[in-house]
Amino acid sequence: MAKQAPSTDPAQDAPAVGAPKHAAAGLPAIGHSLRMAREQMGTARAVSTLLKVNQQGGFDCPGCAWPEPDKPHTAEFCENGAKAVAEEATERRITAEFFAAHPVAELAERSGYWLGQQGRLTEPMLLAEGATHYAPVSWERAFEIVAEELRALDTPDGAAFYTSGRTSNEAAFAYQLFARKLGTNNLPDCSNMCHESSGSALVETLGVGKGSVSLKDLYQADLIIVAGQNPGTNHPRMLSALERAKRAGATVVSVNPLPEAGLERFKNPQNARGLVGNGTKLTDLFLQIRLGGDLALFRALNQLILRAEGGVDEAFVAEHCHGFAEFAAEAELTDRQEVLAATGLPWEQIEQLAELVLRSRKVIVCWAMGLTQHKHSVPTIREVVNFLLLRGNVGRPGAGVCPVRGHSNVQGDRTMGIFERPAESFLDALAGEFAFEPPRHHGFDAVDTIRAMRDGRVKVFFAMGGNFVAATPDTLVTEAAMRRCALTVHVSTKLNRSHVVTGARALILPTLGRTDRDRTERGDQFVTVEDSMGLVHSSQGRLRPPAPGLLSETAIVCRLARAVLGEADPLPWEEFAADYDLIRDRIARVVPGFADFNARVRAPGGFALPHGPRDSRTFPTATGKANFTVNPQTAPEVPPGRLLLQTLRSHDQYNTTVYGLDDRYRGIKGGRRVVLVNPADAAELGLTEGGYVDLVSEWTDGVERRAPHFRVVHYPVARGGAAAYYPETNVLVPLDSTADISNTPTSKAVVVRFEADSGIGAGPERD
Ligand SMILES: Nc1nc2c(c(=O)[nH]1)N[C@H]1C(S)=C(S)[C@@H](COP(=O)(O)OP(=O)(O)OC[C@H]3O[C@@H](n4cnc5c(=O)[nH]c(N)nc54)[C@H](O)[C@@H]3O)O[C@H]1N2
Ligand SMILES: Nc1nc2c(c(=O)[nH]1)N[C@H]1C(S)=C(S)[C@@H](COP(=O)(O)OP(=O)(O)OC[C@H]3O[C@@H](n4cnc5c(=O)[nH]c(N)nc54)[C@H](O)[C@@H]3O)O[C@H]1N2
Ligand SMILES: [Mo]
């Protein structure tokens, strides 16, 4: 039983609570970003670095995957982009002396926040078997160790190769090629925990697992529905796009259990009006939905559209769609009482939204983790697609699906083949180009990788970025699984918890980040990324790397491939590492849409990947048409006396990287161990404002999962639900509680009860 969540800093964590804000950005946002940038980088470096974010010829912001406008503003970054940059471009350094001074057992007691604050990693480090401290190791020896362990496996499937979504296209392509040459499709990635549900639903219905809109479409839309997303914190530049869309006449509807400040009002820090005025009201209609109620909402909308005269775009449906009759029959079964119970919305609001929809010719639905991290996420997103198809809102300017991606190159990594279930056509193309037979059986995703490590089937865990043990569910299970490995390897920029919860041996391989100059013997290299809207462009860092001798991710992959595959391997890995154009030439021959890659990516702004549904209403699905689907009503069930907990992000974090302990827009200061509950629910459950409780999750396996010592905050969340920050609450998410079809952990739907505060226990606190 968990006595304590393993990765927190209790002594520092003393949350104070004020009133939530009703507008995002404005002057305070500028102040906050500059302060953090200066603390980490000093003023001169801060200014020159921030001015290169998202500029043509500059580097792609390592923050989110929101696209850049055609003509970027001089300061085309946001408060949280600036924090992401500062976190990476910090002048603080971790050297061998640091590791000599801190045994791993001590580092394992530190908070993620503290680990991240220590600075950039500067040399390869090895934790030898039985050793108490990491010690320096040469790159050669490090690669040999990985090769030794991989050779010792009975099968290549005894290794798993994780990717977090910041990895460039070039490194990702080389990485998956190496894994497949080794003989495994075990390529789990952060997408498995993120937009996998979107990909699953979109591939089945539209044939392409990506969004179908561009920024221009947003500017032309009549109606934009933002469901399950908090752009004010996680995609702040999206607010400028919504502001522009509104000025061009769009109506914005937000669907969320929380009133998120960023969606209420936006003070654009890039113009005077935003700095001194009241800003722009963004949301015209706010539907404060219950957690997991979106399937019911879209089913109800679809029924209303079907019943409205002229509601359906019959020509589009007849020409382009499949499965309409079955879908329409199911929609007719939609039961109003069920909808009211699942959504918690007044019926009039749903009708009001339906009227808006019927009045709008061009509709876009944007969504993120609020829709993807539920048990019924795939049917929910399929129902969103039904909703858009009904009125022909796919493949028409100003309309379409807009899953807003998280990590800045998570979409590109998937395009490059980072996927445990690759398409046959992709493997055929690899086989043709590289003259080898790639494995055809599917590999492990993130959850299955944890199961396999737990059961001793995966012995070597290799991570290209990320923070696997903190980002994945069921922290105690995952940490135990990691500790069963023979070898764990992390290619990282910053120290994190995954480096200190290790296999029998462990390696930390430090690498260049987005902001760093990447110079090889052939000269300065740039990399490429793909944003949330399928635009591919280059990214080139200019800063002096944090230490001499650091290798890029691409170089690490290529040297590893040589060490593991041997001198006899015919691929020119050394050439690839020296000249990324050579990798891009290969990508051009393997991945559809990348023809003439090297030339096209050098054009200012890059190029757009083809997208059949968007470009020509062609749907590369099994039926050759856009598929309507049948998604029977379902919603989370919560026993009496319990609440449904969603785990989300504060304004001061980037996933597992905690920048600070405030969540300004929600009025929380100085701590992260808070649980937001509706005052009416709190009254029923006896949860007093400011009191402390343990959160205990309930799952069918009967195992007790406990996160102790959370301060109760009365907050206007939708009834029946609660909210607390991730990663502290990952200890509560059962490994086997995943979305149907996509296998994504249900991070937005954990049944919890509240128990008396057990205190923080014999807590680790040496800060
Ligand atoms: N600054 C910053 N930027 C980031 C990140 C970060 O951590 N920090 N992370 C990046 C990554 S990897 C990702 S994936 C994105 C994440 O971006 P978001 O998805 O915006 O992130 P979350 O904090 O998980 O917020 C989920 C939102 O959905 C709402 N929600 C939860 N459950 C439901 C539901 O059942 N229905 C509806 N309608 N709404 C619901 C929540 O109230 C919240 O507003 O952001 C990316 N950008
Ligand atoms: N409970 C709960 N769990 C969740 C979520 C949730 O909403 N709730 N969200 C899920 C989502 S959407 C995602 S995407 C995952 C995120 O999972 P991950 O991507 O695994 O986690 P991050 O925290 O983004 O990874 C941060 C680490 O990446 C490394 N890093 C940063 N930049 C670079 C780089 O350029 N190169 C390399 N090699 N390393 C780098 C640093 O060492 C840093 O410590 O978490 C998931 N987990
Ligand atoms: Mo994500």
Side-chain angles (χ1 to χ4, degrees):
M1 195 191 86
K3 275 270 175 318
Q4 111 155 62
S7 52
T8 50
D9 233 359
Q12 280 190 341
D13 204 290
V17 176
K21 301 269 182 296
H22 298 285
L27 268 178
I30 298 187
H32 284 271
S33 45
L34 291 181
R35 188 167 330 131
M36 169 146 174
R38 270 203 313 267
E39 271 167 29
Q40 298 280 348
M41 302 190 256
T43 305
R45 184 168 158 110
V47 171
S48 71
T49 306
L50 292 178
L51 289 177
K52 294 199 184 75
V53 185
N54 292 336
Q55 301 295 319
Q56 291 170 4
F59 63 89
D60 182 62
C61 179
C64 71
W66 190 256
E68 285 77 54
D70 290 346
K71 292 197 190 70
H73 192 277
T74 341
E76 188 56 40
F77 58 91
C78 63
E79 175 191 351
N80 279 347
K83 290 181 193 162
V85 168
E87 179 78 18
E88 179 177 299
T90 178
E91 303 225 279
R92 300 176 190 161
R93 299 287 176 266
I94 295 185
T95 59
E97 290 72 53
F98 171 90
F99 287 104
H102 299 280
V104 175
E106 181 214 311
L107 296 175
E109 303 279 283
R110 298 285 192 177
S111 70
Y113 176 55
W114 186 90
L115 294 175
Q117 287 296 308
Q118 303 312 306
R120 286 287 297 271
L121 295 159
T122 54
E123 51 184 312
M125 302 298 296
L126 167 68
L127 182 67
E129 189 148 9
T132 53
H133 292 68
Y134 273 101
V137 63
S138 69
W139 285 104
E140 284 66 30
R141 181 64 194 133
F143 295 128
E144 263 172 46
I145 290 171
V146 185
E148 275 166 23
E149 294 286 354
L150 289 174
R151 280 195 215 106
L153 297 171
D154 303 334
T155 150
D157 291 328
F161 296 92
Y162 176 69
T163 310
S164 165
R166 276 192 193 171
T167 296
S168 66
N169 289 333
E170 291 73 9
F173 186 79
Y175 187 50
Q176 62 81 33
L177 176 60
F178 158 66
R180 294 191 165 113
K181 287 207 91 174
L182 183 70
T184 185
N185 282 314
N186 287 348
L187 287 157
D189 71 344
C190 68
S191 199
N192 298 145
M193 299 174 272
C194 184
H195 265 292
E196 199 67 61
S197 302
S198 308
S200 300
L202 294 175
V203 167
E204 180 187 347
T205 55
L206 301 180
V208 181
K210 303 180 182 180
S212 74
V213 300
S214 66
L215 279 179
K216 214 168 131 212
D217 291 312
L218 275 174
Y219 304 151
Q220 295 175 12
D222 298 324
L223 174 65
I224 301 170
I225 300 177
V226 182
Q229 198 198 341
N230 178 22
T233 286
N234 298 312
H235 304 92
R237 287 179 301 111
M238 178 174 169
L239 301 186
S240 324
L242 289 177
E243 183 186 44
R244 186 162 160 190
K246 287 228 42 166
R247 260 192 267 130
T251 300
V252 173
V253 173
S254 49
V255 183
N256 201 304
L258 268 66
E260 301 283 26
L263 280 170
E264 289 181 55
R265 206 162 252 293
F266 172 52
K267 300 185 181 178
N268 192 336
Q270 293 172 348
N271 63 39
R273 199 163 3 114
L275 288 182
V276 294
N278 290 328
T280 310
K281 179 172 179 259
L282 289 183
T283 293
D284 298 286
L285 176 65
F286 170 43
L287 270 55
Q288 186 163 26
I289 197 164
R290 274 173 176 262
L291 283 171
D294 305 84
L295 174 59
L297 171 66
F298 281 95
R299 280 174 55 91
L301 291 172
N302 289 342
Q303 189 186 45
L304 291 168
I305 294 170
L306 281 163
R307 289 181 178 177
E309 198 167 329
V312 177
D313 182 341
E314 284 169 11
F316 173 78
V317 170
E319 190 181 343
H320 295 291
C321 301
H322 174 269
F324 176 77
E326 295 82 350
F327 153 73
E330 173 64 33
E332 269 317 305
L333 302 178
T334 304
D335 176 75
R336 187 184 296 194
Q337 289 315 315
E338 273 183 358
V339 171
L340 296 181
T343 61
L345 298 170
W347 184 253
E348 300 68 53
Q349 258 192 356
I350 298 178
E351 278 184 328
Q352 201 183 340
L353 175 54
E355 276 161 30
L356 276 174
V357 172
L358 291 167
R359 260 191 271 134
S360 305
R361 214 184 114 61
K362 296 169 281 179
V363 181
I364 291 174
V365 182
C366 304
W367 71 88
M369 298 303 100
L371 257 53
T372 64
Q373 296 176 334
H374 284 282
K375 179 163 176 16
H376 58 307
S377 282
V378 176
T380 301
I381 296 163
R382 284 196 304 226
E383 197 65 19
V384 169
V385 174
N386 286 341
F387 164 79
L388 291 168
L389 290 177
L390 263 184
R391 294 182 47 77
N393 278 311
V394 175
R396 166 202 286 170
V401 286
C402 184
V404 182
R405 302 279 161 176
H407 266 302
S408 51
N409 197 39
V410 62
Q411 187 159 314
D413 290 345
R414 199 41 86 72
T415 307
M416 292 298 117
I418 302 292
F419 194 22
E420 73 284 355
R421 292 173 282 131
E424 286 297 314
S425 56
F426 180 83
L427 294 178
D428 291 343
L430 271 190
E433 174 65 25
F434 296 104
F436 77 112
E437 189 38 49
R440 300 279 167 167
H441 59 283
H442 289 172
F444 297 137
D445 63 10
V447 165
D448 285 338
T449 295
I450 297 166
R451 291 182 176 132
M453 293 195 293
R454 175 194 65 194
D455 301 340
R457 286 175 289 134
V458 159
K459 287 288 186 196
V460 176
F461 176 83
F462 190 104
M464 184 57 69
N467 183 2
F468 192 77
V469 299
T472 50
D474 231 346
T475 313
L476 298 186
V477 174
T478 300
E479 293 197 349
M482 205 70 161
R483 293 189 198 279
R484 272 201 79 180
C485 288
L487 175 69
T488 51
V489 187
H490 286 87
V491 178
S492 309
T493 51
K494 302 287 293 277
L495 191 63
N496 66 44
R497 178 139 188 99
S498 299
H499 303 132
V500 297
V501 178
T502 68
R505 289 202 278 183
L507 285 163
I508 301 175
L509 305 180
T511 192
L512 301 177
R514 283 282 166 77
T515 51
D516 299 317
R517 164 165 291 177
D518 184 357
R519 177 172 285 175
T520 71
E521 66 266 28
R522 305 267 177 90
D524 282 346
Q525 302 296 313
F526 67 87
V527 294
T528 63
V529 292
E530 174 185 344
D531 67 30
S532 198
M533 294 179 173
L535 297 173
V536 179
H537 63 87
S538 65
S539 172
Q540 187 163 18
R542 311 275 173 178
L543 293 179
R544 185 164 32 83
L550 272 198
L551 298 182
S552 70
E553 292 183 342
T554 308
I556 290 174
V557 173
C558 292
R559 290 186 57 176
L560 177 68
R562 179 59 75 204
V564 175
L565 303 173
E567 290 305 325
D569 188 81
L571 287 190
W573 295 104
E574 293 74 14
E575 300 272 303
F576 287 164
D579 181 354
Y580 302 170
D581 275 0
L582 302 177
I583 302 179
R584 284 186 284 269
D585 284 341
R586 303 300 188 113
I587 295 172
R589 293 206 286 267
V590 169
V591 187
F594 284 83
D596 213 8
F597 190 8
N598 269 310
R600 282 156 77 218
V601 83
R602 283 177 163 84
F607 62 94
L609 290 174
H611 188 290
R614 178 195 66 207
D615 303 337
S616 56
R617 291 190 157 174
T618 45
F619 300 93
T621 60
T623 60
K625 302 220 163 192
N627 291 317
F628 277 102
T629 50
V630 171
N631 306 299
Q633 171 55 24
T634 168
E637 278 169 35
V638 185
R642 276 68 179 156
L643 294 178
L644 197 65
L645 176 77
Q646 64 151 321
T647 62
L648 41 48
R649 293 156 173 80
S650 88
H651 193 65
D652 257 3
Q653 72 182 88
Y654 192 92
N655 299 335
T656 69
T657 300
V658 174
Y659 302 135
L661 300 174
D662 299 343
D663 192 2
R664 202 166 76 243
Y665 296 152
R666 299 196 184 109
I668 315 284
K669 254 187 143 43
R672 294 176 45 86
R673 295 184 82 82
V674 289
V675 57
L676 313 184
V677 288
N678 183 291
D681 288 325
E684 279 179 16
L685 297 169
L687 302 171
T688 45
E689 162 68 44
Y692 277 80
V693 291
D694 283 8
L695 308 179
V696 182
S697 73
E698 296 184 352
W699 175 245
T700 52
D701 60 8
V703 173
E704 184 179 294
R705 297 176 174 85
R706 179 180 297 266
H709 199 62
F710 276 70
R711 183 197 194 280
V712 173
V713 177
H714 289 186
Y715 198 87
V717 298
R719 289 293 307 268
Y725 303 131
Y726 122 87
E728 288 83 348
T729 44
N730 254 333
V731 71
L732 298 171
V733 185
L735 185 63
D736 294 333
S737 176
T738 60
D740 297 335
I741 303 169
S742 65
N743 208 25
T744 294
T746 60
S747 303
K748 297 292 187 274
V750 184
V751 174
V752 291
R753 64 172 189 268
F754 299 83
E755 290 195 354
D757 178 24
S758 65
I760 212 68
E765 196 34 62
R766 300 197 185 81
D767 291 355

